[in-house]
mmCIF file of all heavy atoms in Angstrom:
data_model
loop_
_atom_site.group_PDB
_atom_site.id
_atom_site.type_symbol
_atom_site.label_atom_id
_atom_site.label_comp_id
_atom_site.label_asym_id
_atom_site.label_seq_id
_atom_site.Cartn_x
_atom_site.Cartn_y
_atom_site.Cartn_z
ATOM 1 N N ARG W 30 79.085 -41.994 36.741
ATOM 2 C CA ARG W 30 79.932 -40.790 36.843
ATOM 3 C C ARG W 30 79.101 -39.571 36.941
ATOM 4 O O ARG W 30 78.128 -39.458 36.141
ATOM 5 C CB ARG W 30 80.888 -40.725 35.627
ATOM 6 C CG ARG W 30 81.988 -39.656 35.780
ATOM 7 C CD ARG W 30 83.043 -39.950 34.689
ATOM 8 N NE ARG W 30 82.489 -39.909 33.357
ATOM 9 C CZ ARG W 30 82.428 -38.834 32.624
ATOM 10 N NH1 ARG W 30 82.718 -37.655 33.152
ATOM 11 N NH2 ARG W 30 81.963 -38.927 31.411
ATOM 12 N N ALA W 45 62.050 -36.348 43.587
ATOM 13 C CA ALA W 45 62.561 -37.447 44.342
ATOM 14 C C ALA W 45 63.405 -38.259 43.362
ATOM 15 O O ALA W 45 63.105 -38.487 42.236
ATOM 16 C CB ALA W 45 61.446 -38.326 44.913
ATOM 17 N N GLY W 115 86.033 -30.342 22.845
ATOM 18 C CA GLY W 115 85.378 -29.191 23.448
ATOM 19 C C GLY W 115 86.271 -28.506 24.487
ATOM 20 O O GLY W 115 87.400 -28.877 24.665
ATOM 21 N N GLU W 130 95.554 -28.291 18.438
ATOM 22 C CA GLU W 130 95.664 -27.586 17.224
ATOM 23 C C GLU W 130 94.303 -27.030 16.779
ATOM 24 O O GLU W 130 94.193 -25.880 16.143
ATOM 25 C CB GLU W 130 96.133 -28.523 16.078
ATOM 26 C CG GLU W 130 96.273 -27.830 14.704
ATOM 27 C CD GLU W 130 97.182 -28.613 13.737
ATOM 28 O OE1 GLU W 130 98.194 -29.156 14.213
ATOM 29 O OE2 GLU W 130 96.848 -28.542 12.557
ATOM 30 N N GLU W 151 93.476 -40.036 3.833
ATOM 31 C CA GLU W 151 94.107 -41.158 3.063
ATOM 32 C C GLU W 151 95.544 -41.418 3.534
ATOM 33 O O GLU W 151 96.443 -40.511 3.559
ATOM 34 C CB GLU W 151 94.177 -40.742 1.537
ATOM 35 C CG GLU W 151 94.767 -41.881 0.678
ATOM 36 C CD GLU W 151 93.913 -43.124 0.488
ATOM 37 O OE1 GLU W 151 92.702 -42.939 0.363
ATOM 38 O OE2 GLU W 151 94.456 -44.244 0.563
ATOM 39 N N GLU W 162 81.454 -44.927 25.035
ATOM 40 C CA GLU W 162 80.280 -44.890 24.231
ATOM 41 C C GLU W 162 80.664 -45.161 22.779
ATOM 42 O O GLU W 162 81.717 -44.850 22.304
ATOM 43 C CB GLU W 162 79.696 -43.517 24.398
ATOM 44 C CG GLU W 162 79.241 -43.186 25.763
ATOM 45 C CD GLU W 162 78.442 -41.896 25.768
ATOM 46 O OE1 GLU W 162 77.831 -41.512 24.759
ATOM 47 O OE2 GLU W 162 78.450 -41.218 26.810
ATOM 48 N N GLU W 177 93.949 -45.204 8.762
ATOM 49 C CA GLU W 177 94.176 -46.278 9.750
ATOM 50 C C GLU W 177 93.694 -45.736 11.113
ATOM 51 O O GLU W 177 94.270 -44.725 11.544
ATOM 52 C CB GLU W 177 95.657 -46.682 9.840
ATOM 53 C CG GLU W 177 95.916 -47.701 10.888
ATOM 54 C CD GLU W 177 97.345 -47.957 11.234
ATOM 55 O OE1 GLU W 177 98.216 -47.313 10.505
ATOM 56 O OE2 GLU W 177 97.604 -48.736 12.114
ATOM 57 N N VAL W 179 93.133 -46.014 15.142
ATOM 58 C CA VAL W 179 93.536 -46.700 16.362
ATOM 59 C C VAL W 179 92.614 -46.196 17.489
ATOM 60 O O VAL W 179 92.563 -45.039 17.773
ATOM 61 C CB VAL W 179 94.990 -46.408 16.671
ATOM 62 C CG1 VAL W 179 95.426 -47.114 17.978
ATOM 63 C CG2 VAL W 179 95.902 -46.769 15.499
ATOM 64 N N VAL W 181 91.751 -45.779 21.413
ATOM 65 C CA VAL W 181 92.454 -45.768 22.741
ATOM 66 C C VAL W 181 91.390 -45.853 23.808
ATOM 67 O O VAL W 181 90.696 -44.909 24.200
ATOM 68 C CB VAL W 181 93.176 -44.441 22.870
ATOM 69 C CG1 VAL W 181 93.949 -44.407 24.241
ATOM 70 C CG2 VAL W 181 94.178 -44.192 21.742
ATOM 71 N N PRO W 189 77.551 -53.239 37.245
ATOM 72 C CA PRO W 189 77.895 -52.925 38.626
ATOM 73 C C PRO W 189 78.016 -54.211 39.429
ATOM 74 O O PRO W 189 77.466 -55.252 39.140
ATOM 75 C CB PRO W 189 76.650 -52.197 39.051
ATOM 76 C CG PRO W 189 75.537 -52.577 38.141
ATOM 77 C CD PRO W 189 76.224 -52.849 36.805
ATOM 78 N N PRO W 194 70.513 -52.148 43.500
ATOM 79 C CA PRO W 194 69.895 -50.870 43.138
ATOM 80 C C PRO W 194 69.295 -50.857 41.776
ATOM 81 O O PRO W 194 68.268 -50.231 41.511
ATOM 82 C CB PRO W 194 71.093 -49.823 43.280
ATOM 83 C CG PRO W 194 72.041 -50.503 44.234
ATOM 84 C CD PRO W 194 71.924 -52.020 43.991
ATOM 85 N N PRO W 282 56.076 -31.668 33.969
ATOM 86 C CA PRO W 282 54.829 -30.952 34.325
ATOM 87 C C PRO W 282 53.910 -30.855 33.068
ATOM 88 O O PRO W 282 52.665 -30.876 33.293
ATOM 89 C CB PRO W 282 55.362 -29.497 34.736
ATOM 90 C CG PRO W 282 56.749 -29.741 35.122
ATOM 91 C CD PRO W 282 57.309 -30.897 34.283
ATOM 92 N N TRP W 328 32.890 -39.776 36.016
ATOM 93 C CA TRP W 328 32.049 -41.044 35.963
ATOM 94 C C TRP W 328 32.266 -41.887 37.269
ATOM 95 O O TRP W 328 33.302 -41.821 37.862
ATOM 96 C CB TRP W 328 32.551 -41.917 34.791
ATOM 97 C CG TRP W 328 32.155 -41.322 33.418
ATOM 98 C CD1 TRP W 328 32.531 -40.138 32.916
ATOM 99 C CD2 TRP W 328 31.360 -41.976 32.494
ATOM 100 N NE1 TRP W 328 32.003 -40.052 31.647
ATOM 101 C CE2 TRP W 328 31.291 -41.092 31.341
ATOM 102 C CE3 TRP W 328 30.698 -43.205 32.370
ATOM 103 C CZ2 TRP W 328 30.552 -41.423 30.242
ATOM 104 C CZ3 TRP W 328 29.988 -43.471 31.235
ATOM 105 C CH2 TRP W 328 29.894 -42.630 30.132
ATOM 106 N N LEU W 356 43.271 -41.052 51.180
ATOM 107 C CA LEU W 356 43.418 -40.168 50.001
ATOM 108 C C LEU W 356 42.742 -38.805 50.229
ATOM 109 O O LEU W 356 43.336 -37.760 49.924
ATOM 110 C CB LEU W 356 42.844 -40.800 48.767
ATOM 111 C CG LEU W 356 42.763 -39.989 47.512
ATOM 112 C CD1 LEU W 356 44.099 -39.516 47.098
ATOM 113 C CD2 LEU W 356 42.083 -40.796 46.339
ATOM 114 N N ALA W 359 44.806 -36.794 52.511
ATOM 115 C CA ALA W 359 46.004 -36.330 51.884
ATOM 116 C C ALA W 359 45.710 -35.129 50.919
ATOM 117 O O ALA W 359 46.480 -34.175 50.948
ATOM 118 C CB ALA W 359 46.632 -37.430 51.073
ATOM 119 N N ILE W 366 36.358 -35.805 45.917
ATOM 120 C CA ILE W 366 35.863 -37.200 45.577
ATOM 121 C C ILE W 366 34.489 -37.421 46.244
ATOM 122 O O ILE W 366 34.378 -37.289 47.474
ATOM 123 C CB ILE W 366 36.878 -38.259 45.981
ATOM 124 C CG1 ILE W 366 38.215 -37.972 45.360
ATOM 125 C CG2 ILE W 366 36.340 -39.633 45.617
ATOM 126 C CD1 ILE W 366 39.349 -38.840 45.895
ATOM 127 N N TYR W 374 32.569 -44.436 43.671
ATOM 128 C CA TYR W 374 33.121 -43.081 43.837
ATOM 129 C C TYR W 374 33.279 -42.396 42.497
ATOM 130 O O TYR W 374 33.458 -43.067 41.487
ATOM 131 C CB TYR W 374 34.416 -43.126 44.581
ATOM 132 C CG TYR W 374 34.383 -43.737 45.942
ATOM 133 C CD1 TYR W 374 34.644 -45.115 46.073
ATOM 134 C CD2 TYR W 374 34.140 -43.014 47.116
ATOM 135 C CE1 TYR W 374 34.548 -45.776 47.389
ATOM 136 C CE2 TYR W 374 34.123 -43.655 48.317
ATOM 137 C CZ TYR W 374 34.289 -44.927 48.474
ATOM 138 O OH TYR W 374 34.274 -45.544 49.734
ATOM 139 N N ARG W 375 33.312 -41.071 42.546
ATOM 140 C CA ARG W 375 33.577 -40.337 41.340
ATOM 141 C C ARG W 375 34.280 -39.029 41.704
ATOM 142 O O ARG W 375 34.166 -38.500 42.824
ATOM 143 C CB ARG W 375 32.256 -39.969 40.603
ATOM 144 C CG ARG W 375 31.295 -39.059 41.352
ATOM 145 C CD ARG W 375 30.008 -38.880 40.673
ATOM 146 N NE ARG W 375 30.166 -38.008 39.415
ATOM 147 C CZ ARG W 375 30.096 -36.706 39.457
ATOM 148 N NH1 ARG W 375 29.869 -36.035 40.581
ATOM 149 N NH2 ARG W 375 30.272 -36.044 38.276
ATOM 150 N N LEU W 378 33.791 -33.529 39.243
ATOM 151 C CA LEU W 378 34.210 -32.642 38.124
ATOM 152 C C LEU W 378 33.260 -31.476 38.036
ATOM 153 O O LEU W 378 32.077 -31.574 38.130
ATOM 154 C CB LEU W 378 34.167 -33.465 36.860
ATOM 155 C CG LEU W 378 34.983 -32.926 35.684
ATOM 156 C CD1 LEU W 378 36.430 -32.997 35.935
ATOM 157 C CD2 LEU W 378 34.670 -33.717 34.348
ATOM 158 N N ASP W 388 33.587 -38.028 27.161
ATOM 159 C CA ASP W 388 34.018 -39.081 26.448
ATOM 160 C C ASP W 388 35.445 -39.447 26.675
ATOM 161 O O ASP W 388 36.127 -40.157 25.864
ATOM 162 C CB ASP W 388 33.872 -38.807 24.909
ATOM 163 C CG ASP W 388 32.396 -38.545 24.528
ATOM 164 O OD1 ASP W 388 31.560 -39.284 25.053
ATOM 165 O OD2 ASP W 388 32.104 -37.639 23.687
#
Side-chain angles (χ1 to χ4, degrees):
R30 187 167 60 88
E130 183 161 323
E151 178 73 39
E162 298 188 25
E177 177 193 355
V179 180
V181 182
W328 290 59
L356 171 60
I366 302 171
Y374 300 89
R375 65 183 290 271
L378 200 67
D388 298 323

